[in-house]
Amino acid sequence: MNQKCNKQVLIPRPALERMPVYYRCLMKAIDEGTPFVSSDELGRSVGVPGVQVRKDLSYLSGYGRPGVGYVARSLASYLEEFLGLINDKEAVLVGVGNLGRALALYPGFARYGLQIIALFDNDLAKVGQIIGGHQILPMERLANLSRRLHIQIGIITVPAPVAQEVAEAMIAGGIKMIWNFAPCRLVVPEDVLVKNEDLAAQLAMLSYHITCRKVGYVR
Amino acid sequence: MNQKCNKQVLIPRPALERMPVYYRCLMKAIDEGTPFVSSDELGRSVGVPGVQVRKDLSYLSGYGRPGVGYVARSLASYLEEFLGLINDKEAVLVGVGNLGRALALYPGFARYGLQIIALFDNDLAKVGQIIGGHQILPMERLANLSRRLHIQIGIITVPAPVAQEVAEAMIAGGIKMIWNFAPCRLVVPEDVLVKNEDLAAQLAMLSYHITCRKVGYVR
DNA sequence: TAGATTGTTAATCGATTAACAATC
DNA sequence: TAGATTGTTAATCGATTAACAATC
């Protein structure tokens, strides 16, 4: 019975993180022509029990029918709107190494509304090259271009030692959300949100589990 | 006062996830020649208060000195051993697209003990190419080679529709830990651990936060 | 000794799960 | 109506934080 935003605090973080997975499960059902999906089925896709799914979805609104399940189409499009997947999100990406190039070319992003509209690199040998239809621009232009185009997301795929510097240029360009793939923590003002995608830290976790021969799903 | 493994259950998952970040913070201090690091400093690197750090580290052992802080060198090498970063971990990677290639060439992994020792792809045009010193092999050889070399980790960077099939070949090859970059959940036996690196799901979270203009650190 | 900081027990907070009523 | 499944309140479980003693 909850609406989007504002009530943010009412949706627990773990529940929020499960939403995209529910969404994908619903999309799959729709593709397969299944009109209803039960909470248990949704739960299996994330590894939580059905009651957790029902609890999670109770924060949103009522697309469940007792005895039947959830209406796949309605719930999927509600989640789409709730998560803002239908909104276009414009991003710049800095650091066109192997990982940067892979993200710039990643086909899955466009369907979630992400438009990477400019690439930057400080390596002059790369500047001018074209990746995924976009020319690589020199770093000097990052802040101005971001500000002019009201870019919402900055993606950082540079080595750790220069990541902070890049973040500062993004912030100077008015960017309020940074997706950081560099293995380091950024220092940013309060109104800027940083999402760290720390592959090396994940690897360290794998390492721990191998060492301990611990078993079961992780995440 | 805790040891590794066995007592697993005693270390809360969130604490465990912070360990690699503490480790990196300590490494940085060592590089800079700082012999001691306080819990508050460690906390700042993860975004948790010092008391949380002390609690986390209390699960391990006593490298803290009241009034002084933690002995950077000792704690770092303890964490190294605890997380198993010093052990070599051999991996195969399947799906040499842009993301697969980026991971195969990622320089940060080797320092955490990860050795990607074979690449596979079902695209015959790619088979035989050399990436990062390794020839790309055909899928048919995945299970046998994994078994023969006692490979520990399988990295999946194929499109979602074929990920399950790849996982099964890995499992047939005796692999017990899968790092899955495909945007889907894998069905695996109980003794196989799957770590999902779901970039599209992360993007959906960013999307939500943009939509809601929510602010602060995420993770 | 005074100041700083760790380590730990108890209190709080928040998420998950159990129980059960409501509804298709 | 009987069977299945949702939705919600209360109980449980686990992680974080507060308070404070211990130690350099």
XYZ file of all heavy atoms in Angstrom, chain B residues 50-91:
324
model
N 33.556 3.452 14.247
C 34.693 2.711 14.777
C 34.296 1.518 15.642
O 34.944 0.469 15.602
N 33.223 1.672 16.375
C 32.817 0.581 17.267
C 32.433 -0.663 16.465
O 32.685 -1.801 16.887
C 31.666 1.018 18.202
C 30.407 1.328 17.412
C 31.405 -0.036 19.251
N 31.884 -0.416 15.297
C 31.532 -1.540 14.419
C 32.797 -2.266 13.956
O 32.847 -3.491 13.916
C 30.744 -1.014 13.207
C 30.379 -2.086 12.214
C 29.257 -2.943 12.716
O 28.101 -2.557 12.714
N 29.592 -4.140 13.181
N 33.808 -1.496 13.623
C 35.087 -2.080 13.207
C 35.672 -2.917 14.340
O 36.104 -4.049 14.127
C 36.083 -0.971 12.818
C 37.433 -1.566 12.479
C 35.539 -0.144 11.654
N 35.655 -2.370 15.534
C 36.221 -3.110 16.667
C 35.461 -4.402 16.889
O 36.045 -5.450 17.132
C 36.193 -2.240 17.924
C 37.096 -1.017 17.817
C 37.404 -0.406 19.164
N 36.248 0.198 19.810
C 35.752 1.391 19.501
N 36.301 2.122 18.534
N 34.712 1.877 20.138
N 34.140 -4.298 16.794
C 33.318 -5.503 16.938
C 33.701 -6.525 15.853
O 33.931 -7.702 16.153
C 31.850 -5.124 16.797
C 30.883 -6.257 16.976
C 30.503 -6.427 18.425
C 29.818 -7.746 18.663
N 29.431 -7.946 20.039
N 33.780 -6.066 14.600
C 34.130 -6.966 13.494
C 35.471 -7.632 13.755
O 35.616 -8.845 13.627
C 34.218 -6.198 12.170
C 32.863 -5.743 11.663
O 31.839 -6.164 12.238
O 32.834 -4.961 10.691
N 36.449 -6.831 14.119
C 37.801 -7.364 14.284
C 37.914 -8.227 15.538
O 38.812 -9.061 15.642
C 38.815 -6.227 14.307
C 38.917 -5.455 12.986
C 39.926 -4.322 13.108
C 39.283 -6.377 11.830
N 36.976 -8.031 16.472
C 37.019 -8.855 17.679
C 36.709 -10.315 17.356
O 37.010 -11.211 18.145
C 36.036 -8.323 18.728
O 34.716 -8.649 18.360
N 36.097 -10.581 16.188
C 35.848 -11.968 15.794
C 37.136 -12.671 15.380
O 37.190 -13.879 15.293
C 34.862 -12.041 14.624
C 33.489 -11.520 14.963
C 32.990 -10.381 14.359
C 32.701 -12.175 15.896
C 31.725 -9.908 14.666
C 31.438 -11.706 16.219
C 30.954 -10.570 15.595
O 29.721 -10.104 15.923
N 38.156 -11.882 15.074
C 39.378 -12.469 14.539
C 40.404 -12.732 15.624
O 40.646 -13.833 16.038
C 39.984 -11.542 13.478
C 39.071 -11.200 12.310
C 39.782 -10.256 11.367
C 38.657 -12.470 11.583
N 40.985 -11.666 16.088
C 42.059 -11.848 17.039
C 42.610 -10.491 17.412
O 42.164 -9.481 16.908
C 43.121 -12.725 16.409
O 44.331 -12.054 16.302
N 43.600 -10.470 18.296
C 43.945 -9.209 18.909
C 45.129 -8.475 18.322
O 46.239 -8.617 18.831
N 44.867 -7.707 17.279
C 45.959 -6.905 16.748
C 45.784 -5.431 17.077
O 46.425 -4.585 16.497
C 46.112 -7.132 15.239
C 46.558 -8.539 14.954
C 45.671 -9.520 14.551
C 47.889 -8.881 15.164
C 46.093 -10.820 14.336
C 48.318 -10.182 14.951
C 47.419 -11.142 14.544
O 47.854 -12.423 14.352
N 44.882 -5.165 18.013
C 44.654 -3.788 18.413
C 45.365 -3.490 19.715
O 45.444 -4.343 20.597
N 45.881 -2.255 19.817
C 46.493 -1.829 21.079
C 45.730 -0.628 21.598
O 45.712 0.423 20.952
C 47.944 -1.402 20.855
C 48.888 -2.552 20.639
C 50.319 -2.083 20.883
N 51.266 -2.829 20.080
C 52.467 -2.368 19.742
N 52.857 -1.155 20.126
N 53.273 -3.109 19.027
N 45.104 -0.781 22.746
C 44.357 0.345 23.322
C 45.216 1.604 23.339
O 46.412 1.525 23.628
C 44.052 -0.126 24.749
C 44.070 -1.618 24.661
C 45.088 -1.957 23.618
N 44.624 2.713 22.996
C 45.336 3.975 22.989
C 46.154 4.224 21.756
O 46.657 5.322 21.546
N 46.303 3.217 20.905
C 47.214 3.324 19.765
C 46.522 3.000 18.445
O 46.594 3.755 17.488
C 48.418 2.364 19.962
C 49.330 2.413 18.753
C 49.164 2.731 21.243
N 45.832 1.872 18.407
C 45.168 1.449 17.181
C 45.580 0.041 16.812
O 46.049 -0.711 17.665
N 45.395 -0.302 15.561
C 45.768 -1.648 15.107
C 47.119 -1.605 14.409
O 47.432 -0.644 13.697
C 44.705 -2.204 14.155
C 43.396 -2.455 14.865
C 42.461 -1.429 15.024
C 43.122 -3.691 15.421
C 41.275 -1.650 15.705
C 41.942 -3.921 16.104
C 41.023 -2.891 16.238
O 39.863 -3.112 16.938
N 47.910 -2.638 14.616
C 49.205 -2.759 13.963
C 48.948 -3.117 12.503
O 48.524 -4.234 12.198
C 50.055 -3.859 14.619
C 51.451 -3.877 14.011
C 50.123 -3.649 16.123
N 49.149 -2.146 11.625
C 48.741 -2.311 10.227
C 49.302 -3.595 9.619
O 48.566 -4.394 9.035
C 49.161 -1.094 9.411
N 50.595 -3.779 9.772
C 51.230 -4.942 9.171
C 50.681 -6.263 9.675
O 50.337 -7.155 8.896
C 52.742 -4.906 9.426
C 53.544 -4.526 8.234
C 55.007 -4.338 8.541
N 55.554 -3.343 7.633
C 55.684 -3.536 6.319
N 55.315 -4.671 5.768
N 56.163 -2.575 5.547
N 50.580 -6.381 10.999
C 50.126 -7.653 11.559
C 48.696 -7.954 11.144
O 48.376 -9.058 10.704
C 50.173 -7.614 13.081
O 51.306 -6.950 13.535
N 47.828 -6.935 11.288
C 46.424 -7.169 10.980
C 46.252 -7.475 9.495
O 45.495 -8.371 9.123
C 45.584 -5.950 11.378
C 44.089 -6.094 11.169
C 43.538 -7.341 11.865
C 43.350 -4.852 11.659
N 46.983 -6.746 8.652
C 46.870 -6.992 7.210
C 47.271 -8.419 6.886
O 46.561 -9.109 6.136
C 47.745 -6.008 6.428
N 48.361 -8.882 7.472
C 48.769 -10.237 7.082
C 47.854 -11.263 7.707
O 47.614 -12.319 7.132
C 50.245 -10.498 7.374
O 50.488 -10.403 8.733
N 47.282 -10.939 8.878
C 46.297 -11.855 9.426
C 45.080 -11.950 8.501
O 44.588 -13.042 8.189
C 45.865 -11.424 10.820
C 44.971 -12.444 11.456
C 45.491 -13.524 12.148
C 43.585 -12.366 11.303
C 44.671 -14.496 12.693
C 42.751 -13.338 11.834
C 43.306 -14.397 12.531
O 42.484 -15.358 13.058
N 44.589 -10.792 8.044
C 43.422 -10.780 7.150
C 43.723 -11.517 5.850
O 42.879 -12.222 5.306
C 42.984 -9.344 6.847
C 42.140 -8.669 7.914
C 41.874 -7.210 7.545
C 40.813 -9.409 8.098
N 44.935 -11.326 5.368
C 45.372 -12.006 4.151
C 45.206 -13.519 4.295
O 44.695 -14.190 3.406
C 46.851 -11.707 3.919
C 47.223 -11.342 2.524
C 48.563 -10.653 2.523
O 49.545 -11.276 2.951
O 48.626 -9.466 2.109
N 45.636 -14.001 5.447
C 45.540 -15.437 5.671
C 44.095 -15.825 5.922
O 43.603 -16.818 5.388
C 46.415 -15.814 6.879
C 46.887 -17.258 6.825
C 47.193 -17.785 8.203
O 47.675 -17.000 9.057
O 46.932 -18.977 8.426
N 43.411 -15.025 6.728
C 42.017 -15.328 7.060
C 41.157 -15.411 5.806
O 40.354 -16.326 5.633
C 41.475 -14.247 8.003
C 40.014 -14.384 8.278
C 39.558 -15.346 9.158
C 39.095 -13.559 7.642
C 38.192 -15.488 9.404
C 37.737 -13.693 7.879
C 37.282 -14.662 8.764
N 41.327 -14.456 4.918
C 40.531 -14.441 3.684
C 41.088 -15.409 2.643
O 40.449 -15.655 1.622
C 40.487 -13.023 3.100
C 39.758 -11.963 3.939
C 40.015 -10.577 3.400
C 38.255 -12.253 3.972
N 42.265 -15.934 2.907
C 42.847 -16.885 1.956
C 43.423 -16.215 0.730
O 43.562 -16.836 -0.324
N 43.786 -14.939 0.849
C 44.285 -14.212 -0.325
C 45.656 -14.719 -0.751
O 46.050 -14.551 -1.901
C 44.349 -12.712 -0.029
C 43.022 -12.074 0.357
C 43.204 -10.598 0.656
C 42.001 -12.263 -0.761
N 46.367 -15.336 0.202
C 47.693 -15.828 -0.152
C 47.631 -17.149 -0.916
O 48.585 -17.528 -1.579
C 48.594 -16.006 1.098
C 47.783 -16.624 2.237
C 49.174 -14.671 1.535
C 48.597 -16.902 3.479
N 46.505 -17.848 -0.807
C 46.382 -19.111 -1.547
C 46.110 -18.833 -3.026
O 45.344 -17.932 -3.354
C 45.216 -19.940 -1.016
C 45.272 -20.087 0.489
O 46.361 -20.092 1.069
N 44.122 -20.176 1.133
N 46.709 -19.620 -3.892
C 46.378 -19.502 -5.307
C 45.013 -20.123 -5.554
O 44.691 -21.183 -5.012
C 47.426 -20.232 -6.158
C 48.540 -19.277 -6.547
O 48.511 -18.120 -6.091
O 49.430 -19.693 -7.300
N 44.226 -19.432 -6.347
C 42.902 -19.931 -6.680
C 42.822 -20.021 -8.202
O 42.950 -19.025 -8.888
C 41.833 -18.976 -6.159
C 41.704 -18.953 -4.655
C 40.992 -17.727 -4.136
C 41.861 -16.485 -4.146
N 42.964 -16.489 -3.185
N 42.641 -21.219 -8.716
C 42.638 -21.388 -10.158
C 41.225 -21.342 -10.702
O 40.314 -21.930 -10.124
C 43.336 -22.692 -10.530
C 44.759 -22.706 -9.994
C 45.628 -23.748 -10.664
O 45.132 -24.857 -10.896
O 46.795 -23.421 -10.965
N 41.068 -20.617 -11.783
C 39.735 -20.414 -12.341
C 39.710 -20.633 -13.843
O 40.726 -20.447 -14.512
C 39.257 -18.994 -12.025
